Amino acid sequence: MINKIGREIPDEILKQYGKEGYQGPNYRDNVRYKKAAPMVRGVVDPKQDKMVSNIREALEKCKIQDGMVLSFHHHFRDGDYVVNMVMAEVAAMGIRDITICASSLGAAHDPIAEYIEQGIVTGIQSSGVRGKIGEAISRGKLKTPAIIRSHGGRVRAIEEGDVHIDIAFIGAPTSDAYGNARGVGGKSDCGVLSYSMVDAQYADNVVVITDCLVPFPNFPASISMTNVDYVCVVDEIGNPDKIISNAIRMTKDVRELMMAKYCTRLIADSPYFQDGFSFQTGAGGASLAVNTMLRPIMEEKNIHMGFSIGGITQPICEMLKDGLVRNIVDAQCFDRASIESIKNDARHFEISTSEYANPMNKGTFANKLDFVILGALEVDIDYNVNVVTGSDGIVRGAPGGHPDIAAGSKCSIIIAPLVRGRIPTICDRVVTAVTPGETVDIIVTDYGIAINPRRTDLIEAYKNTHLPFCTIEELRDMAYEIVGTPDEIPFKDRVVGIIENRDGTILDVVRELDEEC
Amino acid sequence: MINKIGREIPDEILKQYGKEGYQGPNYRDNVRYKKAAPMVRGVVDPKQDKMVSNIREALEKCKIQDGMVLSFHHHFRDGDYVVNMVMAEVAAMGIRDITICASSLGAAHDPIAEYIEQGIVTGIQSSGVRGKIGEAISRGKLKTPAIIRSHGGRVRAIEEGDVHIDIAFIGAPTSDAYGNARGVGGKSDCGVLSYSMVDAQYADNVVVITDCLVPFPNFPASISMTNVDYVCVVDEIGNPDKIISNAIRMTKDVRELMMAKYCTRLIADSPYFQDGFSFQTGAGGASLAVNTMLRPIMEEKNIHMGFSIGGITQPICEMLKDGLVRNIVDAQCFDRASIESIKNDARHFEISTSEYANPMNKGTFANKLDFVILGALEVDIDYNVNVVTGSDGIVRGAPGGHPDIAAGSKCSIIIAPLVRGRIPTICDRVVTAVTPGETVDIIVTDYGIAINPRRTDLIEAYKNTHLPFCTIEELRDMAYEIVGTPDEIPFKDRVVGIIENRDGTILDVVRELDEEC
């Protein structure tokens, strides 16, 4: 079938997964469904001990079997040791046909590509699929199509029962012996454990892996003992230097600063820029610069941010400290300053990824967002955004919260340079649609700004704003003029990846690369 | 059948409810079961508004029907207006055959007795069944047997699906318009919303009722917007003077002080009195006095409490402030001082009742308790405790956390006067068994102290402790000598109440009073 954004989704894929094609952002609004539920084991006897000596013992006690679904979180990002540590033991036990359901996978997980080749891992469900894992998927090595979900979409899939986790592994900077685990403390401090909260609640078996055991009760707990079966202490759960950067990059790039300036003006001149407004931005150079540029305008107009959300960085923490931001709600800490902030500032809160963006619960922070600033690998003339496949057709990115907050927010702004090297960012048709165009409001490039024509209210609001507005087609034409019309990427028919919309419908598919063309 | 503590449970009751008789405290240890799950409605569209004008509108939107299960919490205790307010509207709508599933019901809810008579309420599931509701139950007015559960047992029943809540009503001192609700703030401050957390997670429909609407996000939220369908603002959710007492009673009764002194000695001389020990006590005179008496011993021996739990009162909060208690984990605030403490002290934490004591999750605070001090209406020579039926056979009490922490703790101590008026506290056989004797370790009375013979370790530990130890039979004999052997209470055959053990097996039944005898 051809879905609502004109993507062809093979009928056999829809049938096999019991899914529909994408039908619009609010298609499933008010739909009633029964939540999923785990099989759990009651710990009635107070004498029960949850400590296990090593990962092997945890796997044995959880009765690991061929074909199981194992889950992981990515708060340790490029410094994560947990996925590889567990999977090495799974491989050593001769277990096969494992599906990894991770909140994201990154460069730290290249060894998994080898397990894919060997049939030890035959399914991947993740936001990020980068590095060698991405290459293995695009080259057709994974037995089943990778399922790529946004952060909110992953929680939805688990809470709706689309995926059932047999064993969840939760790397925790600190835990007590009864499984109360926190994102702070110890030597592998990552601030929050937001991504893993849904795993703890919906997995049949839950194993906390820590390198810092602390006295009971380790409170306030990100992960509650009430959901944890076993606790395993290892030497190191991650590389602290790669878990968190000590400082984020402040851009001096004039092109980035110019786009940030445009973006700041768009926010300040919009009808949503009022006391109590809410805001999410990423850790990219231009995004971060917007924080800095917005600040004097907020001070001048005596406007305070109600809440800031998302991947949290130093500039927002400083605005919290200075009273310009009233609350930070945090599902991921990006730097040292944000970890210190969540430890010390009572208005900086850890939230679950369900609270962040699961579209099928009863309401999220994403729904309450005014402005979001996002990036893009490609944007097409229908405003569809690709943040997953590179210009070579290989999966190398992650939707993260992109589709969630684009859909939830009142004004979603994409910042991206018009061209990157010889690649046009604005194009006729994105290789892979990850965020549907009807949820994308404004595209800011270094050559001009396009407002989605369906946002007549925003076009009206900016009629007296002097910025280089143009149409998205004009942006595309400029891009193609500079770098030429991009060649088609040669793909085979076989589907190797499924881009699931946050509500569980299918937005697009990724096909196997045809490297012989 | 006759269950493990010798109580006759009619087979038709077991069959009707699909239950077993009680088989011992750890009978269901390691049992695997599938958790229950609600039918929920996804709030995808950010434009959805959760505010309703009044309770009628909330009931209509939740599609209230005959036969539904409505749930409530009792954090507002004798000051609660929510139960009556909702039930008056239910009655006005002509709805019948409602089951009320409350964490407890008290004197504030006398009007419910009238709805029982009228067939508007035909089922009660609660910890407390006092006042006119208790009388109605004991006199056979309720259509189905009342199911009486401990606090942990209620969470278990909901999480295992023994009871499915159609609509949960959560009275909240503060809420934002999207349903993030807290136990603190506003004019009806109750400190925590622990009892209602399970309702929010497992009910199909969740309505927050507040008298203080605050800006979004009302964080940290006790109840998350992700679980809330509707928010209703009313004039008053309770009477602040009755919600919380400004000061708890400090006893000057010499009998209570003597029992407190015995109890303090028993704790101090036990093997569990070590740095990091944990402790729960109630708000009764003798219990509170133990806090005060324990303090100088802790100071002298440089022993700190790891955590204190339960209904929280001023003496424990002061010990937290002074560094003698490391953490308070709080499922119920009993006085003004404890509310101020949870607002201001970072080591005073709100917990869910599942974390407190649900025996069928993966581990609770109850399991980690060293000492608990509890009361009793009656204790029999098998150490079974009755805290539900009065000496007239009418239900007028509540198990609360009694059976939970007796089972979980290493040393459970019951404090009770040997006789009350003309009623012996220690007797041959309690009218109703609520806490099984094998989980009760020590009985402290003003006439002597009995240690459960199964606790040979404790008997050994106290061999050099000079306290008036005796057997439970000796205590009974003394009691009967003072007030005479109690008369049998005349009951009919009909079962009007079921005492469910915390693990879901049936511990005892309550029968209809035979008032013609």
Side-chain angles (χ1 to χ4, degrees):
Chain A
M1 63 94 73
I2 307 287
N3 71 11
K4 197 184 169 216
I5 56 162
R7 296 277 156 170
E8 196 203 328
I9 317 295
D11 290 331
E12 60 270 25
I13 290 285
L14 297 176
K15 200 173 159 195
Q16 185 183 343
Y17 291 90
K19 290 291 187 183
E20 296 181 88
Y22 174 73
Q23 320 251 354
N26 295 330
Y27 172 61
R28 296 192 67 212
D29 193 34
N30 286 325
V31 164
R32 278 199 180 262
Y33 65 97
K34 184 166 181 168
K35 281 206 174 183
M39 287 290 297
V40 299
R41 182 179 58 89
V43 177
V44 184
D45 187 347
K47 294 195 185 71
Q48 275 208 43
D49 184 2
K50 296 188 183 182
M51 295 296 297
V52 292
S53 310
N54 48 48
I55 289 169
R56 168 72 71 116
E57 188 186 342
L59 289 166
E60 284 168 352
K61 288 199 162 173
C62 294
K63 299 190 170 54
I64 178 95
Q65 284 174 31
D66 290 357
M68 276 191 167
V69 176
L70 310 188
S71 85
F72 301 91
H73 70 75
H74 75 287
H75 283 291
F76 303 144
R77 302 190 294 164
D78 286 347
D80 177 57
Y81 292 165
V82 174
V83 172
N84 297 344
M85 211 185 310
V86 170
M87 289 309 301
E89 201 58 48
V90 168
M93 289 173 81
I95 303 290
R96 297 180 62 79
D97 200 18
I98 290 296
T99 292
I100 292 178
C101 175
S103 56
S104 205
L105 294 167
H109 307 120
D110 277 353
I112 302 303
E114 187 56 34
Y115 300 137
I116 291 174
E117 297 261 4
Q118 294 165 3
I120 293 166
V121 171
T122 52
I124 298 271
Q125 306 192 12
S126 178
S127 172
V129 270
R130 299 183 176 91
K132 288 190 178 174
I133 298 178
E135 287 169 27
I137 291 167
S138 280
R139 299 205 161 98
K141 308 287 190 191
L142 188 70
K143 193 176 162 194
T144 61
I147 302 178
I148 295 168
R149 299 187 177 105
S150 68
H151 291 330
R154 176 178 191 263
V155 180
R156 182 210 62 73
I158 296 168
E159 294 198 358
E160 278 204 73
D162 286 3
V163 56
H164 183 78
I165 301 166
D166 294 298
I167 314 175
F169 296 91
I170 300 179
T174 56
S175 177
D176 61 39
Y178 220 43
N180 291 299
R182 302 189 68 196
V184 292
K187 58 187 179 185
S188 305
D189 206 332
C190 62
V192 297
L193 289 175
S194 308
Y195 295 118
S196 59
M197 291 175 182
V198 69
D199 304 49
Q201 281 170 25
Y202 287 84
D204 291 347
N205 301 279
V206 177
V207 180
V208 165
I209 299 178
T210 188
D211 52 16
C212 182
L213 199 67
V214 297
F216 181 92
N218 186 28
F219 249 59
S222 308
I223 302 297
S224 170
M225 61 187 165
T226 59
N227 292 319
V228 175
D229 293 275
Y230 303 109
V231 178
C232 182
V233 177
V234 296
D235 289 342
E236 290 177 307
I237 52 175
N239 176 346
D241 293 336
K242 291 185 179 175
I243 289 174
I244 213 80
S245 55
N246 283 312
I248 37 109
R249 181 182 69 96
M250 285 302 188
T251 188
K252 289 180 183 169
D253 180 315
V254 286
R255 203 173 56 159
E256 287 189 334
L257 290 171
M258 183 173 68
M259 292 190 287
K261 211 171 133 191
Y262 291 165
C263 192
T264 306
R265 188 78 268 143
L266 289 166
I267 291 174
D269 285 0
S270 87
Y272 311 120
F273 189 61
Q274 294 175 2
D275 192 58
F277 79 104
S278 55
F279 186 57
Q280 172 168 345
T281 179
S287 296
L288 279 174
V290 174
N291 288 308
T292 316
M293 292 175 180
L294 211 49
R295 184 176 177 132
I297 306 175
M298 290 169 64
E299 285 169 332
E300 186 202 322
K301 298 196 172 178
N302 195 28
I303 284 178
H304 299 77
M305 204 182 289
F307 70 90
S308 178
I309 193 169
I312 300 299
T313 53
Q314 183 166 6
I316 283 290
C317 296
E318 281 170 4
M319 287 165 84
L320 180 73
K321 209 185 283 175
D322 298 343
L324 283 165
V325 171
R326 295 207 180 97
N327 303 278
I328 292 177
V329 290
D330 188 342
Q332 188 169 10
C333 293
F334 275 140
D335 59 9
R336 176 63 48 200
S338 60
I339 291 181
E340 290 310 310
S341 173
I342 203 166
K343 282 182 194 168
N344 300 313
D345 199 315
R347 302 308 301 171
H348 186 156
F349 304 105
E350 179 179 22
I351 60 169
S352 70
T353 322
S354 188
E355 289 176 302
Y356 174 56
N358 170 9
M360 289 305 287
N361 68 27
K362 295 176 181 176
T364 63
F365 278 109
N367 286 356
K368 289 292 177 185
L369 267 169
D370 291 316
F371 303 103
V372 299
I373 302 178
L374 295 161
L377 293 172
E378 291 180 305
V379 183
D380 69 23
I381 53 171
D382 295 324
Y383 288 82
N384 297 313
V385 177
N386 172 20
V387 284
V388 166
T389 40
S391 58
D392 52 3
I394 289 179
V395 292
R396 59 174 75 258
H402 198 294
D404 298 311
I405 57 173
S409 62
K410 295 194 180 67
C411 182
S412 61
I413 304 172
I414 309 284
I415 299 190
L418 190 70
V419 299
R420 285 187 180 89
R422 293 209 47 77
I423 313 296
T425 304
I426 314 298
C427 60
D428 278 323
R429 186 176 165 87
V430 286
V431 175
T432 310
V434 178
T435 297
E438 51 200 316
T439 66
V440 172
D441 299 318
I442 304 176
I443 312 293
V444 172
T445 75
D446 41 351
Y447 284 74
I449 299 162
I451 302 179
N452 193 324
R454 68 176 61 230
R455 291 305 301 267
T456 50
D457 58 327
L458 286 178
I459 292 167
E460 174 69 19
Y462 294 129
K463 68 183 175 195
N464 296 318
T465 298
H466 298 292
L467 285 173
F469 292 114
C470 61
T471 66
I472 190 99
E473 290 80 6
E474 285 169 334
L475 289 177
R476 174 207 53 198
D477 292 345
M478 282 188 263
Y480 284 10
E481 201 166 301
I482 297 166
V483 295
T485 303
D487 294 332
E488 284 276 314
I489 300 167
F491 288 114
K492 297 181 183 173
D493 272 350
R494 183 178 165 218
V495 171
V496 294
I498 296 172
I499 309 292
E500 203 177 85
N501 188 53
R502 62 196 300 254
D503 67 358
T505 58
I506 308 302
L507 197 66
D508 206 348
V509 293
V510 179
R511 290 170 196 271
E512 186 179 343
L513 214 56
D514 188 350
E515 290 175 302
E516 284 165 19
C517 287
Chain B
M1 63 93 74
I2 309 286
N3 71 12
K4 197 185 170 215
I5 56 163
R7 296 279 156 167
E8 196 204 325
I9 316 295
D11 290 332
E12 59 270 25
I13 291 284
L14 297 176
K15 199 172 160 197
Q16 185 183 344
Y17 291 89
K19 289 291 186 185
E20 295 180 90
Y22 174 72
Q23 321 250 354
N26 294 330
Y27 173 60
R28 295 192 67 214
D29 192 35
N30 286 325
V31 164
R32 279 199 180 262
Y33 65 98
K34 183 166 181 168
K35 281 207 172 182
M39 287 290 299
V40 299
R41 182 179 58 86
V43 177
V44 185
D45 187 347
K47 295 194 184 72
Q48 274 207 46
D49 184 2
K50 295 188 183 182
M51 295 297 296
V52 293
S53 308
N54 48 49
I55 289 170
R56 169 72 72 115
E57 188 186 342
L59 289 166
E60 285 168 352
K61 287 200 164 172
C62 295
K63 299 190 171 54
I64 177 97
Q65 283 174 29
D66 290 357
M68 275 190 168
V69 176
L70 311 188
S71 85
F72 302 91
H73 71 77
H74 75 288
H75 284 290
F76 303 145
R77 302 190 296 163
D78 286 347
D80 177 58
Y81 292 165
V82 173
V83 172
N84 296 344
M85 210 184 312
V86 170
M87 289 309 301
E89 201 59 47
V90 168
M93 290 172 81
I95 303 291
R96 295 180 63 78
D97 200 17
I98 291 295
T99 291
I100 292 179
C101 175
S103 55
S104 205
L105 294 167
H109 307 120
D110 277 353
I112 302 303
E114 188 57 34
Y115 300 138
I116 291 174
E117 297 261 4
Q118 294 167 2
I120 292 165
V121 172
T122 53
I124 299 271
Q125 306 191 12
S126 178
S127 173
V129 271
R130 299 183 176 90
K132 289 189 178 175
I133 298 178
E135 288 169 27
I137 290 168
S138 280
R139 298 205 162 99
K141 307 288 190 189
L142 188 69
K143 194 175 163 194
T144 61
I147 301 177
I148 295 169
R149 298 188 178 105
S150 67
H151 291 330
R154 176 178 191 265
V155 180
R156 182 211 61 74
I158 296 169
E159 294 198 358
E160 278 203 72
D162 287 3
V163 55
H164 183 79
I165 301 165
D166 294 298
I167 315 175
F169 297 90
I170 300 179
T174 56
S175 176
D176 62 39
Y178 220 44
N180 291 298
R182 302 189 69 197
V184 292
K187 58 189 177 184
S188 305
D189 206 332
C190 62
V192 297
L193 288 175
S194 309
Y195 294 119
S196 58
M197 291 175 181
V198 69
D199 304 51
Q201 282 170 26
Y202 287 83
D204 291 348
N205 300 279
V206 177
V207 180
V208 165
I209 300 178
T210 189
D211 52 15
C212 182
L213 200 68
V214 297
F216 182 92
N218 187 26
F219 249 59
S222 308
I223 302 297
S224 169
M225 61 187 166
T226 58
N227 292 319
V228 175
D229 294 275
Y230 303 109
V231 178
C232 181
V233 177
V234 296
D235 289 342
E236 290 177 308
I237 52 174
N239 176 347
D241 293 336
K242 292 184 179 176
I243 289 174
I244 213 80
S245 55
N246 283 312
I248 37 108
R249 182 183 67 95
M250 284 304 188
T251 189
K252 290 181 182 168
D253 181 315
V254 286
R255 203 174 54 160
E256 287 189 334
L257 289 172
M258 183 174 67
M259 292 191 288
K261 213 171 131 188
Y262 292 164
C263 192
T264 305
R265 187 79 270 143
L266 289 165
I267 290 173
D269 286 0
S270 86
Y272 311 120
F273 189 60
Q274 295 176 0
D275 192 58
F277 80 103
S278 56
F279 187 56
Q280 171 167 348
T281 180
S287 297
L288 279 174
V290 175
N291 289 309
T292 316
M293 291 176 182
L294 211 50
R295 186 177 176 131
I297 307 175
M298 290 169 64
E299 286 169 333
E300 186 202 322
K301 297 197 172 176
N302 195 28
I303 284 179
H304 300 77
M305 203 182 290
F307 70 90
S308 177
I309 192 169
I312 300 298
T313 53
Q314 184 166 7
I316 283 292
C317 296
E318 281 170 6
M319 285 165 84
L320 180 74
K321 210 186 280 174
D322 297 342
L324 282 165
V325 171
R326 295 206 180 98
N327 303 276
I328 292 177
V329 290
D330 189 341
Q332 187 167 13
C333 292
F334 274 140
D335 59 8
R336 174 64 48 200
S338 60
I339 292 181
E340 290 309 310
S341 173
I342 203 168
K343 282 182 193 169
N344 300 314
D345 198 314
R347 303 306 301 171
H348 187 156
F349 304 104
E350 180 179 22
I351 60 169
S352 71
T353 322
S354 188
E355 289 177 301
Y356 173 57
N358 170 10
M360 290 304 289
N361 68 28
K362 296 177 182 175
T364 64
F365 279 108
N367 287 356
K368 290 291 177 186
L369 267 168
D370 291 315
F371 304 103
V372 301
I373 302 178
L374 296 161
L377 293 173
E378 291 180 302
V379 184
D380 68 24
I381 53 171
D382 295 323
Y383 287 81
N384 298 312
V385 177
N386 173 20
V387 284
V388 165
T389 41
S391 59
D392 54 1
I394 290 179
V395 292
R396 58 173 77 258
H402 199 294
D404 298 311
I405 57 173
S409 63
K410 294 194 181 67
C411 181
S412 61
I413 305 172
I414 308 285
I415 299 190
L418 190 70
V419 300
R420 285 187 179 92
R422 294 209 45 78
I423 314 297
T425 304
I426 314 297
C427 60
D428 279 322
R429 186 176 163 87
V430 288
V431 175
T432 310
V434 179
T435 297
E438 53 199 316
T439 65
V440 173
D441 299 318
I442 304 176
I443 313 292
V444 173
T445 74
D446 41 352
Y447 284 74
I449 299 163
I451 303 179
N452 193 325
R454 68 177 61 232
R455 291 305 301 267
T456 50
D457 58 328
L458 286 178
I459 293 168
E460 173 69 18
Y462 295 129
K463 68 183 173 193
N464 296 319
T465 298
H466 298 293
L467 285 173
F469 292 113
C470 60
T471 66
I472 190 101
E473 290 80 5
E474 285 168 332
L475 289 177
R476 173 207 52 196
D477 293 345
M478 282 187 266
Y480 284 11
E481 202 166 300
I482 298 166
V483 297
T485 304
D487 295 333
E488 284 277 314
I489 301 167
F491 287 115
K492 298 181 184 173
D493 273 351
R494 184 179 164 216
V495 171
V496 295
I498 296 171
I499 310 290
E500 202 178 86
N501 188 53
R502 62 195 301 253
D503 67 358
T505 58
I506 307 302
L507 197 67
D508 206 347
V509 293
V510 179
R511 290 172 196 269
E512 186 180 342
L513 214 55
D514 188 351
E515 290 175 302
E516 284 165 19
C517 288

